[in-house]
Amino acid sequence: MTNALPPRFDITRAQIEQVVAAFYAAAREHPGLGPVFAAHVTDWPKHEAKVADFWANSILHERVYDGSPMEAHVKARNVQPGMFSTWLSLFDRTLDRELSPQQAAAWSALAHRIGRSLRAGVVDRSTLPGGIPKLR
C-alpha cells in the first residue's frame, strides 16, 4: 500500500519502534512517570505497538493507528497537566540518543505540538472557567 502523503521527515518504521521502546524503558524507570504508566499498562509490548502505530500514522502517514490519544489521557484520570513537560523532556532525551539531530528535531517539534494539544485537553477538563482548578 502506498501512502497518499510523503513522510513528514526521513525515518523508518523500525526507527520509530526503537524510539518507542527506548522511551518506555526510560519512562518505566522514571520516578514521576513510571507509576502513572504502571497504573494503566499491563501489556507493554501491546502498548508500545499501539504507540508505534500512532507515530507511524503521524509521521509516515500509515493508516495503522486505531485510537484516541486525547480520550486515553483524559480517561486515565491520573494524568496531570504538569506531567507533559516531564514526558516531553524524557522523550526529547530519547530522540537525541536514538536518532540523527535532524530526525530528533523534526520528531520533537511534532511531539511538542501534539503534547500542547493533549495538555490543553487535560487542562480544560481539570479547570473551571477562569482557570480555577476542579477539586473533584
Side-chain angles (χ1 to χ4, degrees), residues 3 11 20 27 29 37 44 48 75 83 106 109 128 132 134:
N3 297 327
I11 195 166
V20 169
E29 300 299 319
F37 284 108
W44 281 101
E48 290 177 15
K75 277 175 110 175
M83 292 176 179
L128 298 168
I132 299 167
K134 287 182 185 175

Side-chain angles (χ1 to χ4, degrees), residues 79-117:
V79 176
Q80 301 300 315
M83 292 176 179
F84 288 97
S85 59
T86 302
W87 185 98
L88 286 165
S89 177
L90 184 61
F91 195 68
D92 283 342
R93 288 194 303 273
T94 303
L95 294 173
D96 289 342
R97 275 193 316 273
E98 301 293 327
L99 301 173
S100 73
Q102 296 80 11
Q103 290 169 313
W107 195 345
S108 175
L110 179 60
H112 281 259
R113 188 177 56 132
I114 292 168
R116 282 190 298 275
S117 175

Side-chain angles (χ1 to χ4, degrees), residues 34-53:
V36 174
F37 284 108
H40 302 286
V41 180
T42 56
D43 184 342
W44 281 101
K46 182 178 177 183
H47 180 74
E48 290 177 15
K50 185 165 189 134
V51 173
D53 283 349

